Amino acid sequence: MKTRQRKRLFVSAALAVSLTMTVPMPASVNAAASDVTFTINTQSERAPISPNIYGTNQDLSGTENWSSRRLGGNRLTGYNWENNASSAGRDWLHYSDDFLCGNGGVPDTDCDKPGAVVTAFHDKSLENGAYSIVTLQMAGYVSRDKNGPVDESETAPSPRWDKVEFAKNAPYSLQPDLNDGQVYMDEEVNFLVNRYGNASTPTGIKAYSLDNEPALWSETHPRIHPEQLQAAELVTKSIDLSKAVKNVDPHAEIFGPALYGFGAFLSLQDAPDWPSLQGDYSWFIDYYLDQMKNAHTQNGKRLLDVLDVHWYPEAQGGGQRIVFGGAGNIDTQKARVQAPRSLWDPTYQEDSWIGTWFSNYLPLIPKLQSSIQTYYPGTKLAITEFSYGGDNHISGGIATADALGIFGKYGLYAANYWQTEDDTDYTSAAYKLYRNYDGNKSGFGSIKVNAVTSDTENSSVYASVTDEENDELHLIVLNKNFDDPINATFKLSGDKTYTSGRVWGFDQTGSDITEQAAVTNINNNQFTYTLPPLSAYHIVLKADSAEPVNSDLVVQYKDGDRNDATNNQIKPHFNILNKGTSPVDMSSLTLRYYFTKDSSAAMNGWIDWAKLGGSNIQISFGNHNGANSDTYVELGFSSGAGLIAAGGQSGEIQLRMSKADWSNFNEANDYSFDGAKTAFADWDRVVLYQNGTVVWGSEP
């Protein structure tokens, strides 16, 4: 955490100085919240959500229900699988020790056993049903001993280090030779396959990472790789190590090159040979993908399965970067909740040196996906280290929840959080919102569907269904406004009508996820809900109805204006017939008539007469975007309206409407109008709902 902070700040500061830039102060965000509309369509943009995006590098509280776990970080570059020694590098006095054993829960008595750190890690993944990503070593040398600080004079090659070889080219041993000065990567993979099976089996290790943050080796591990990494060197090492792994386990997925951040994406941190190699490539990532694709062609097999990058945002607010400095001031916090937009939103420009000088590389995910599509189609995308800071602040919880929604919506294959602060209650809550919202490991759906907000600055929405039946719809909704609640209108469309909903969430009053007020007012797949300031909610909607739907209801209609379609009033009259064998409670019904207002004036409505009593009928108006309709009038019925007996009818209902300015209508093109019906007749362009479900008519 602190060691990583020093490294990140060094890198960003060095880049900032080299660019000699002036960063503008951020514009204010989060003006007073207005009403927000969330539009969800379960039939549009359907795609599987990879379960591996809910992953981590540290286990935190253990209640997050992680879907994937990564054994990675700076320590892994110098890890020796034969004896479990590793190097802290510049993070801590270039120390070689048994830190990874203690950190990974390996007993002292087992710390000298081959692969003990990796097997303890994967055993825990198997226990929790998580996907494992294990880092292999590629920088050249690993710790031979656990004897503490390594002096500069002991830089590799020296007796303090064993040389890394990718392929043994000799029979493997499950008890490797500790005195030969060599550590073989394919022998490690063989050891793991022998213990767990290959990656195609239920217990096998699924993925291997090609080391960690190679562009920084000369900075983080100068005793191992003191010279700045060359771009061609990284490609050669990546190809050779990948081939060695695939020769042992052809089913394993290869993640690479685990680049630390934008400086590495762009030029491999100004690699000495990059100017001679860049050519027409937009950035180093293009070159890397192209070279790995060429190797695939030459070797007849894929040698890179997942493009792997790390993302610690450089965004800042109030003069402070949003990561590595705690929650920060109010402007830092506001910048933090907006920062995930740099992953996907082309209209957003973050306050950072990247946003100022390299904005054409943002938003990040589409840029990375474009590179993949151009240079190595079929490669998956992962962000195996990321953090938005503020881990124990509501702004960090909201930013993390937003990022998780984005990862699912935009098709990432894997993503793994990296802990940057000691207290992580709000970050933990963000994961539980998706993976354990009710304390019973219930989670977000596995198929993402279309979800759009009318206000991307103050809110976010993500939607999924659990299966092809669409009976259960999950919504993650975020209020990013610091001061005001959001009055949210949810508009749902698809092949199911949702009738009930439960809600869980957290907000600025605390990181515990608690059940909130239920959704009770769903009407024709539309409902409203209020989100408190700085809140993150998980809404679970069910399509099953608590009451049976009567399909024997019929609406009759006549034009009370007798085909006068151009005056200043609309006079539709209705009668509801019950052709079934059971009575129907009128309070379970709503009726809609669709028309065009022909102006922006407000609407008024009256019940001139109704057999069931005009006081038992409520009139409301709503906007609509459909065939020959921009407005609808809805009639609702109170309990005083009584029942429609089996074989009975409601009796005539005479509705009259006008605009507030009493201007004329043109009813001729209105969806529900039929001037020829001067006596009651069945009419399926007036729509009747029972408990929110259509039971008569067709919506425009």
Side-chain angles (χ1 to χ4, degrees):
M1 286 47 73
K2 287 186 178 179
T3 54
R4 180 165 291 282
Q5 177 180 350
R6 286 199 298 270
K7 180 189 76 176
R8 300 291 175 190
L9 293 178
F10 174 89
V11 172
S12 60
L15 287 169
V17 169
S18 69
L19 292 168
T20 62
M21 65 182 181
T22 300
V23 179
M25 293 299 291
S28 62
V29 296
N30 292 329
S34 59
D35 293 344
V36 173
T37 299
F38 296 126
T39 305
I40 294 92
N41 185 343
T42 61
Q43 299 299 102
S44 177
E45 299 180 9
R46 295 173 66 93
I49 297 174
S50 171
N52 303 327
I53 63 173
Y54 308 111
T56 191
N57 288 270
Q58 297 85 17
D59 286 325
L60 304 189
S61 71
T63 61
E64 295 80 8
N65 191 24
W66 304 109
S67 63
S68 68
R69 301 171 70 244
R70 173 178 176 263
L71 182 62
N74 287 348
R75 269 280 180 173
L76 269 295
T77 290
Y79 170 65
N80 185 337
W81 77 274
E82 294 184 353
N83 63 6
N84 301 294
S86 67
S87 172
R90 187 165 285 174
D91 285 344
W92 181 250
L93 303 175
H94 306 283
Y95 222 77
S96 289
D97 55 26
D98 60 0
F99 171 84
L100 287 177
C101 285
N103 191 62
V106 178
D108 291 344
T109 54
D110 292 342
C111 193
D112 290 331
K113 294 181 179 179
V117 168
V118 181
T119 57
F121 167 83
H122 187 54
D123 287 344
K124 189 166 186 178
S125 291
L126 292 176
E127 179 184 338
N128 291 282
Y131 174 102
S132 282
I133 306 170
V134 171
T135 298
L136 299 177
Q137 291 63 52
M138 198 167 70
Y141 296 88
V142 293
S143 296
R144 181 179 295 179
D145 60 56
K146 305 170 186 176
N147 299 332
V150 178
D151 188 75
E152 186 174 359
S153 65
E154 298 174 301
T155 297
S158 81
R160 300 297 304 275
W161 306 97
D162 281 339
K163 191 174 189 302
V164 171
E165 297 287 355
F166 300 151
K168 187 174 184 179
N169 298 317
Y172 300 125
S173 173
L174 301 180
Q175 293 293 328
D177 186 345
L178 301 181
N179 300 308
D180 63 358
Q182 312 288 325
V183 173
Y184 300 103
M185 292 297 96
D186 59 349
E187 190 165 58
E188 178 181 4
V189 175
N190 177 74
F191 171 86
L192 296 169
V193 168
N194 181 79
R195 183 181 181 108
Y196 297 110
N198 65 38
S200 70
T201 68
T203 56
I205 291 174
K206 304 302 181 187
Y208 295 95
S209 175
L210 303 179
D211 215 294
N212 179 72
E213 301 188 344
L216 299 180
W217 284 342
S218 61
E219 164 60 24
T220 57
H221 290 286
R223 303 292 189 265
I224 294 175
H225 197 290
E227 297 82 19
Q228 190 172 355
L229 181 66
Q230 304 268 348
E233 176 190 355
L234 177 59
V235 167
T236 298
K237 286 177 178 286
S238 297
I239 292 169
D240 290 346
L241 178 53
S242 180
K243 286 165 58 178
V245 173
K246 296 271 191 173
N247 285 339
V248 177
D249 188 352
H251 304 285
E253 294 187 304
I254 299 296
F255 282 58
L259 299 175
Y260 84 88
F262 187 78
F265 307 169
L266 188 66
S267 62
L268 198 62
Q269 197 71 3
D270 296 324
D273 61 342
W274 177 240
S276 66
L277 297 173
Q278 179 172 5
D280 294 330
Y281 296 117
S282 173
W283 54 354
F284 170 75
I285 284 174
D286 290 349
Y287 166 79
Y288 183 84
L289 288 166
D290 201 23
Q291 296 304 305
M292 296 304 287
K293 180 185 177 184
N294 291 341
H296 177 169
T297 301
Q298 293 168 9
N299 289 273
K301 58 186 173 184
R302 179 174 278 277
L303 298 175
L304 179 71
D305 297 282
V306 186
L307 175 65
D308 178 11
V309 300
H310 298 169
W311 186 245
Y312 296 88
E314 297 282 351
Q316 65 174 2
Q320 179 179 328
R321 188 178 174 189
I322 66 170
V323 190
F324 307 119
N329 58 47
I330 186 67
D331 289 326
T332 312
Q333 296 161 17
K334 289 184 175 182
R336 179 175 294 117
V337 301
Q338 297 298 320
R341 293 170 65 186
S342 288
L343 294 172
W344 70 273
D345 185 357
T347 70
Y348 177 68
Q349 182 174 354
E350 68 177 25
D351 176 17
S352 73
W353 59 268
I354 301 174
T356 299
W357 296 98
F358 299 99
S359 60
N360 57 316
Y361 291 88
L362 298 176
L364 181 66
I365 291 175
K367 174 65 176 174
L368 291 169
Q369 290 173 333
S370 175
S371 291
I372 288 171
Q373 187 59 36
T374 301
Y375 291 101
Y376 200 176
T379 306
K380 303 167 186 175
L381 177 61
I383 300 178
T384 60
E385 288 187 26
F386 80 94
S387 172
Y388 280 86
D391 288 329
N392 197 33
H393 188 267
I394 181 63
S395 63
I398 287 178
T400 303
D402 207 8
L404 294 177
I406 292 164
F407 296 158
K409 182 172 184 175
Y410 290 92
L412 262 67
Y413 180 65
N416 300 77
Y417 164 75
W418 185 278
Q419 183 177 356
T420 61
E421 300 171 18
D422 292 334
D423 296 323
T424 59
D425 287 351
Y426 270 105
T427 295
S428 175
Y431 276 92
K432 287 187 283 191
L433 193 69
Y434 284 86
R435 294 282 296 173
N436 191 18
Y437 61 82
D438 61 356
N440 295 312
K441 295 187 177 180
S442 298
F444 198 53
S446 59
I447 302 170
K448 70 101 173 178
V449 298
N450 173 264
V452 178
T453 175
S454 63
D455 186 346
T456 55
E457 181 177 306
N458 285 295
S459 66
S460 295
V461 60
Y462 304 99
S464 67
V465 292
T466 55
D467 54 36
E468 296 296 333
E469 298 301 317
N470 302 330
D471 288 334
E472 188 172 285
L473 173 61
H474 291 256
L475 308 176
I476 299 289
V477 289
L478 309 177
N479 181 354
K480 298 184 283 189
N481 192 287
F482 278 62
D483 303 309
D484 299 309
I486 280 176
N487 299 314
T489 297
F490 293 80
K491 295 184 176 181
L492 317 175
S493 60
D495 64 345
K496 292 294 172 70
T497 298
Y498 298 95
T499 58
S500 64
R502 297 176 68 184
V503 184
W504 288 263
F506 64 89
D507 58 32
Q508 60 188 327
T509 65
S511 59
D512 290 341
I513 296 178
T514 57
E515 186 161 9
Q516 308 294 317
V519 177
T520 59
N521 58 339
I522 306 177
N523 191 349
N524 191 31
N525 267 353
Q526 183 169 313
F527 66 94
T528 59
Y529 202 91
T530 299
L531 307 174
L534 290 178
S535 59
Y537 282 7
H538 186 150
I539 301 173
V540 183
L541 299 170
K542 298 282 190 177
D544 54 326
S545 175
E547 298 182 31
V549 172
N550 189 315
S551 60
D552 296 312
L553 296 171
V554 175
V555 176
Q556 294 185 326
Y557 156 84
K558 70 178 179 180
D559 176 22
D561 228 4
R562 295 187 175 274
N563 205 20
D564 186 352
T566 57
N567 62 23
N568 62 6
Q569 298 183 70
I570 298 176
K571 299 178 182 178
H573 296 180
F574 311 108
N575 184 32
I576 304 171
L577 306 181
N578 178 10
K579 295 185 176 181
T581 58
S582 301
V584 174
D585 187 341
M586 287 287 290
S587 67
S588 70
L589 305 179
T590 51
L591 181 149
R592 284 188 182 181
Y593 178 95
Y594 293 87
F595 62 99
T596 56
K597 282 199 304 183
D598 306 304
S599 77
S600 60
M603 289 295 301
N604 294 317
W606 304 269
I607 299 297
D608 286 336
W609 186 83
K611 181 178 180 181
L612 54 85
S615 62
N616 293 315
I617 302 174
Q618 299 84 44
I619 303 171
S620 60
F621 295 90
N623 296 325
H624 185 262
N625 183 19
N628 296 322
S629 64
D630 58 24
T631 309
Y632 63 81
V633 59
E634 181 174 282
L635 303 186
F637 305 95
S638 67
S639 58
L643 305 177
I644 306 178
Q649 57 187 326
S650 66
E652 187 167 358
I653 301 169
Q654 297 181 359
L655 172 66
R656 178 167 54 90
M657 300 179 286
S658 74
K659 287 180 275 193
D661 62 4
W662 291 94
S663 60
N664 285 345
F665 295 95
N666 179 10
E667 296 182 71
N669 64 344
D670 289 358
Y671 179 82
S672 295
F673 175 75
D674 185 352
K677 288 184 170 56
T678 57
F680 277 121
D682 297 354
W683 185 226
D684 63 5
R685 292 200 173 190
V686 175
V687 185
L688 185 68
Y689 306 85
Q690 185 176 31
N691 298 316
T693 299
V694 175
V695 292
W696 171 266
S698 301
E699 298 167 327

